[in-house]
Every structure is written in structure tokens, then in C-alpha cells.
Amino acid sequence: MLWCSLLLAVPAFAQDGDGADGDGGAAPAPAQGAPAGGLSTDEAVIASGKEIFDANCKQCHAVNEKVVGPALAKVYDRRDLKWLINFIKYPQKVIESGDPYAVALYKEYNQFMPNHDFLKDDQIVAILSWVKKETDNPTITAGPAGGGGTGGASAEDSNTGGGSGVLTAVVVVLAGLLVVVLAVLALLSSVLVKYLQKEKNFSEEDREVLEQKVNWGKVFGSQAFLGIVSFIFLALVGKVTTESLIGVGIQQGYAPTQPIPFSHKLHAGQYEIDCKYCHTGVERAKSANIPSANICMNCHNAIKTTSPDIQKIYAALEKDEPIQWVRVHNLPDLAYFNHQQHVKVGGLECENCHGNIKEMEVVQQASLLTMGWCIDCHRKTDVNAKGNAYYDNLVQLHNSSSKQPLKVEDIGGLECSKCHY
Ligand code: HEC
Ligand code: HEC
Ligand code: HEC
Ligand code: HEC
Ligand code: HEC
Ligand code: HEC
């Protein structure tokens, strides 16, 4: 039964989390549309590569510096194209397969990069072609880089929806095909029946078969039919619940739309305003602080005063109401995190945890913010003890018994009570 096996194929598909190209798996497909032997030097390909990079990779990668992930300069010399395509699509799978290079990377960065299985092979080739061009002769970016506004938003789409969006589309298309096939079959059968009825020399038995009406009630009531329907139903319910359970509370990539389109790329990137000018708490408090409208007014009482977005700042001040910024990073109440401890005492950069904010048109959560993420960093990060007399005795004591440098875990960074009230 053709339609039966087609129907069965749908839930099998839905359970396979790999996205549209069901054959995805660990084995990479050959790079379609890629010039034989590697990367393209075609201007148009390179330009499209930059666009795809900006929308999907920029919050974590730069070409010539380390951000959340490694600097991508010369990555095409470190690994071959086939490996790169596979890794960029399914990083977690490659790491879990035990690939030594990928495992070493993961040990160093302690973070899975998200799947990019919604990208086509030639789109990845385009990204890498741009990376090669940027490695060989980097563009000097100066002055306003206009028209970026969509970067953050589309990155959000692809992070959260990409793979399963394609999957839904495939299921819908398959269901559509099924309906068409059924309609054609029904048409064929009625044409055949009409044709055969004109035929005179039939036995009684044959005529009975011919005039038999399909008993739909019986078909819908049959065990086979009910079995198939409940199987599809359970498979879909199972898929939706497991997906949402795994994702509960994890919001990597979250980039809500803000009431005023405040751009970090413009203020912190292009105009190089210090993070601390606005986030006044980072060196002396638990919370980093979101600036009040008064801080905006230090400049915007004179800059762009007629812009409708700046008018919203005036309106907030007039009504004496704070601007309703949507919170991006949000640990549950049971966890305690302190900025001063990490930025001032620990000497960490904002980028270590927040990604390349200076490039973000819309702020996006770059790290996982799970307990495992905190702990991993505490296991591998050295305590910043230089010039901190508080640590002198501790370091001496530690060095007398260990050859390893003093890590955060050695000063209690893995104790439950340090992070939980
Ligand atoms: C949320 C952060 C994040 C995003 C988004 C991201 N990456 Fe990564 N990337 C990482 C991390 C972290 C690593 C290090 C490997 C690991 O721990 O999984 C990495 C590793 C890599 C590597 C291997 C680098 C090397 O030195 O061998 C490549 C290539 C790469 N990423 C390309 C991309 C491309 C292309 C995109 C966009 C389509 C992208 N990444 C998006 C975080 C990210
Ligand atoms: C001119 C003021 C200003 C400067 C300078 C600035 N920020 Fe912000 N930042 C804001 C405002 C306003 C928000 C809230 C709106 C938003 O999320 O875009 C914000 C939000 C954030 C958030 C997200 C907060 C949340 O809701 O979880 C992070 C992280 C952040 N900034 C980091 C930085 C870093 C890192 C720098 C320096 C590279 C920086 N900011 C420079 C004004 C500023
Ligand atoms: C240290 C000065 C400074 C501070 C503080 C500052 N801005 Fe700006 N802002 C600028 C400059 C400079 C521009 C770019 C003006 C231009 O494009 O001509 C700008 C542009 C903008 C724009 C784009 C306006 C438009 O229509 O093009 C918005 C929105 C904005 N700022 C919001 C804010 C908010 C909200 C705050 C407070 C959290 C803030 N700014 C704080 C200097 C500042
Ligand atoms: C060790 C990691 C880490 C570093 C380094 C770090 N942050 Fe954060 N940041 C976080 C976490 C985790 C949160 C969420 C805190 C919460 O929900 O209680 C956060 C939240 C924020 C917020 C939202 C407001 C708040 O305090 O909850 C802002 C703004 C912010 N960070 C700015 C910065 C700036 C600016 C720097 C650099 C000077 C920086 N952060 C350095 C981890 C870090
Ligand atoms: C990028 C690395 C990094 C990440 C991520 C990180 N931390 Fe830390 N943390 C440090 C460093 C470095 C110190 C040591 C600071 C010092 O010298 O006191 C530290 C210290 C601490 C301490 C004080 C420990 C003590 O014994 O004094 C607490 C509590 C803490 N972190 C909580 C958290 C929580 C909660 C998270 C996750 C939301 C987190 N950290 C994520 C690097 C990190
Ligand atoms: C370095 C900081 C840190 C340390 C040390 C730590 N936790 Fe957590 N823990 C967190 C953070 C942050 C979360 C919230 C994670 C999230 O929302 O995904 C969390 C969440 C939890 C949760 C809630 C369940 C969950 O996964 O969301 C439990 C239970 C928990 N921790 C127990 C412990 C116990 C027991 C210890 C000691 C063995 C411990 N934690 C040590 C940071 C820490």
C-alpha cells in the first residue's frame, strides 16, 4: 500500500532531528555548486558569504580575533572543506563522534556551537570564501556601517527556528503530495470503473466486485487505520514535548526586539563609548545595571533630537517612567552571579561571556548560561592573582603542593553554596 508507507514515512521523518536533508547524519554531502578543490574568489560569492556570516556567525566569531569561538583566519588550512562543512552543520555530532580535532576544540571552548544544518553547502563555501578574502586582505572598516539592522533579528530566527522550520515545511509538502496522490488514484479508479461498466461480457462475480462500494465506515473503524493515526499522533506529541523539555530555560541566541532600537554596534562599536559609562555596576556591584534615560540625555539632549526614536526617550522622562527594556540575560532566582567578582576581581572581559557586543545591532544572548557553563569555566580558568595581595598566601600554599596554576575551582568555585542561596 503506497499511501500507507508514505504515511509511515512522515513520523519517521519527524523524529529525525537532522532537518530537511534526512540523509544529513555525520556523513557530509559533497559540496554542491562549490568550485572543485575549494573556495571561490568570485566577488558575488564573497559578498553573499559576508552577509550569511553577519547573520549567523558574527555574534561568536571574528576573522582575526577570538570571540566566543575561535578566530576563523586560515581555518581552511587547518581543516579540509568537507570536514568544515560537516562541522559547521553538525558541530555537536562531530564532537560526540570523537573526532580528535573537534574534541580538542570543545575542551578549549567548553561550548557547543549551534547546528547550522539549515545552511546549504554552497552557502558555507561562500562564508569560508569571504573568510579567506578577509584573512588575505582585511577590509578596514571605518565610518558608519549602514543597513545592519536585520543582522541580529535574522540570527535569532535561524538559531531558534531554522532546522525545525524546514522540517515542518517538508512534512507539509509530503502531506500535500499524499493528498494529490490519493486524488489521482480516486480519479483513476472511477474512470476505470466507468470504462469497465460498459464492458458486457463479465461473469456475475466480476460484476459484483465492480459494483461494490467502498465501505468508508469500515475503513476508518479498522484497527490498521486507527493504529496508523495514533502512531502519527504519538510521534508528533513526543517530538514536540522532548524538544520543548530539552530547551526549557535555555535561551542561547535570545534577541528580543527592544522598545527603542538602541544599537550597541553604533554606540559601543563605532563611537567607542565605554561599556562602564552606561553599565555602571560592572566593577562595583552584583548587577551590571541598565542605564537610566538620564544617561542617554547626556548626549541626546543635543544629538538627533528630532529622531522619533530619541523622542521616545524624552517621552519617558516627561512621564517619569523608565524605558521598558526587555531583559535578555536572566538567571533563575536560585543562582547567584556577581559582575564585580568576575570583571573587577577576576579580570574577565565582557566578551568572554556576552560575545561580540560591539558588533551587535540587537543584543543577543551569546552563552548558554547553564550551570555547566559556569562550572566549566571555573574548572579551567586561572585565578587572576597578579597584584592582588589577598591571594598571595593562597597562591604560595597552592604552589607548594601542586604544579598546576591556581584555578577558580581551587578557591571554592565549585561549591554549591557559592552560587546558590
Ligand atoms: C553561539 C556561538 C557560535 C556561533 C553562532 C557560531 N559559532 Fe562557530 N564556534 C563556536 C565555538 C564555541 C567553537 C569552538 C568549538 C566548540 O567548542 O564547539 C566554534 C568553532 C568553529 C569552527 C572551527 C574553528 C577552528 O579553529 O577549527 C568553525 C570553522 C566555525 N566555528 C564556523 C562557524 C560558522 C561559519 C558560523 C556561522 C554559520 C558559526 N561558526 C557560528 C561558537 C559559535
Ligand atoms: C550608551 C549606553 C550603552 C553602552 C555604551 C553600552 N550599553 Fe549595553 N545596554 C545599554 C542599554 C540601553 C541596554 C538595554 C537595551 C538592549 O538590550 O539593547 C543594554 C543592554 C546590554 C546587555 C543585555 C542586558 C540584558 O538585558 O540582559 C548587555 C550584555 C550589554 N548591554 C553589554 C554591553 C557591553 C559589553 C558594552 C561595551 C562593549 C555595552 N553594553 C555598552 C546601553 C549601553
Ligand atoms: C556618549 C554619547 C551618547 C550616549 C550616552 C547615548 N547616545 Fe545614542 N547616539 C549617540 C550618537 C553619536 C548617535 C549617532 C547620531 C547620528 O547618527 O548622527 C546616537 C544615535 C542613537 C540612536 C539612533 C537615532 C536615529 O534615529 O538615528 C538611538 C535610537 C539612540 N542613540 C539611543 C540611545 C539611548 C536609548 C541611549 C541611552 C541608553 C543613548 N542613545 C545614549 C550618542 C550617544
Ligand atoms: C563571567 C561571565 C560574565 C562577564 C565577564 C560579564 N557578564 Fe554580564 N552577565 C553575565 C550573566 C550570567 C548575566 C545574567 C545575570 C542575572 O540574570 O542575574 C549578565 C547580565 C548582564 C547585564 C544585564 C543586567 C544584569 O546585571 O543582570 C548586563 C547589562 C551585562 N551583563 C553587562 C556586562 C558588561 C558591560 C560586562 C563587561 C564589563 C559584563 N557584563 C561581563 C555574565 C557575565
Ligand atoms: C568566563 C569564565 C567564567 C564564567 C563563564 C563564570 N565564572 Fe564565576 N568566576 C570566574 C573567575 C575567573 C572567578 C574568580 C574571581 C576571583 O578571583 O575571585 C569566578 C568566581 C566566581 C564566584 C566566587 C567564587 C569564590 O570562591 O569566591 C562565584 C560565586 C561565581 N564565580 C559564580 C558564577 C556563576 C553563577 C556563573 C554562571 C552564571 C559563573 N560564575 C560563570 C570565571 C567565570
Ligand atoms: C559556579 C556556579 C554554580 C555552582 C558551583 C553550582 N551551581 Fe547549581 N546552578 C548554577 C546556575 C547558574 C544554575 C541555573 C542554570 C539554568 O538555569 O540552566 C544552577 C541550577 C541548579 C539547579 C536547578 C536545576 C537546573 O539544572 O536548572 C540545581 C538543583 C543545582 N543547580 C544544584 C547544585 C548543586 C547541588 C551544586 C553543588 C554540587 C551546585 N548546583 C553548584 C550555578 C552553580
Side-chain angles (χ1 to χ4, degrees), residues 140-148 265-266 269-271 361:
I140 319 292
T141 38
K265 185 175 175 180
L266 181 74
Q270 194 185 329
Y271 286 99
E361 203 70 55

Side-chain angles (χ1 to χ4, degrees), residues 331 335-338 340-343 345-349 352-353 367 369-371 373-378 380-385 388 390-391 407-408 410-415 417-420:
L331 288 177
Y336 172 84
F337 177 84
N338 184 314
Q340 180 186 33
Q341 178 113 45
H342 289 88
V343 176
V345 187
L348 295 172
E349 301 289 334
N352 289 139
C353 301
S367 299
L369 262 60
T370 54
M371 176 160 143
W373 174 71
C374 314
I375 300 256
D376 279 339
C377 183
H378 287 183
K380 65 175 183 147
T381 308
D382 299 348
V383 171
N384 175 35
N388 187 340
Y390 177 84
Y391 284 127
K407 305 271 187 206
V408 181
D410 301 321
I411 60 165
L414 304 188
E415 280 168 28
S417 60
K418 290 275 170 75
C419 304
H420 294 293

Side-chain angles (χ1 to χ4, degrees), residues 126-146:
I127 297 176
L128 294 169
S129 305
W130 174 75
V131 168
K132 177 159 170 46
K133 192 230 129 205
E134 278 297 298
T135 311
D136 298 344
N137 38 42
T139 10
I140 319 292
T141 38

Side-chain angles (χ1 to χ4, degrees), residues 15-142:
Q15 285 176 315
D16 168 4
D18 285 340
D21 43 358
D23 63 343
Q32 298 147 354
L39 304 175
S40 168
T41 50
D42 183 331
E43 294 284 336
V45 172
I46 288 174
S48 80
K50 175 174 174 15
E51 219 167 85
I52 306 165
F53 176 88
D54 284 354
N56 299 291
C57 322
K58 192 168 173 176
Q59 72 269 34
C60 297
H61 287 289
V63 175
N64 289 311
E65 63 182 323
K66 186 169 145 179
V67 189
V68 176
L72 293 185
K74 298 221 159 112
V75 70
Y76 42 82
D77 291 341
R78 295 199 281 280
R79 299 275 89 195
D80 68 29
L81 195 55
K82 203 171 126 186
W83 187 94
L84 285 168
I85 289 174
N86 193 29
F87 181 79
I88 291 166
K89 282 187 171 173
Y90 309 104
Q92 188 163 347
K93 223 180 236 177
V94 175
I95 293 164
E96 281 165 357
S97 78
D99 179 295
Y101 180 90
V103 170
L105 263 187
Y106 178 66
K107 286 226 175 88
E108 187 180 347
Y109 287 88
N110 267 309
Q111 178 156 191
F112 286 124
M113 92 177 197
N115 275 359
H116 294 96
D117 48 1
F118 50 88
L119 290 177
K120 297 202 187 66
D121 291 357
D122 50 0
Q123 289 179 305
I124 294 176
V125 170
I127 297 176
L128 294 169
S129 305
W130 174 75
V131 168
K132 177 159 170 46
K133 192 230 129 205
E134 278 297 298
T135 311
D136 298 344
N137 38 42
T139 10
I140 319 292
T141 38

Side-chain angles (χ1 to χ4, degrees), residues 275 279 282 286-290 327 329-331 337 339 342-343 348-350 352-354 369 373:
C275 314
H279 300 296
V282 281
K286 170 183 180 298
S287 162
N289 258 9
I290 299 295
R327 196 171 173 130
H329 300 76
N330 209 348
L331 288 177
F337 177 84
H339 272 92
H342 289 88
V343 176
L348 295 172
E349 301 289 334
C350 316
N352 289 139
C353 301
H354 293 299
L369 262 60
W373 174 71

Side-chain angles (χ1 to χ4, degrees), residues 148-207:
T150 55
S154 57
E156 180 198 16
D157 295 347
S158 45
N159 266 336
T160 52
S164 71
V166 176
L167 194 67
T168 316
V170 170
V171 172
V172 168
V173 168
L174 277 181
L177 269 179
L178 197 65
V179 170
V180 173
V181 168
L182 282 178
V184 170
L185 282 179
L187 195 74
L188 273 180
S189 104
S190 75
V191 168
L192 271 178
V193 167
K194 279 212 183 97
Y195 172 77
L196 287 175
Q197 272 166 347
K198 291 194 196 115
E199 201 69 40
K200 294 283 181 261
N201 44 358
F202 270 146
S203 72
E204 233 0 75
E205 240 172 87
D206 284 346
R207 184 151 299 280

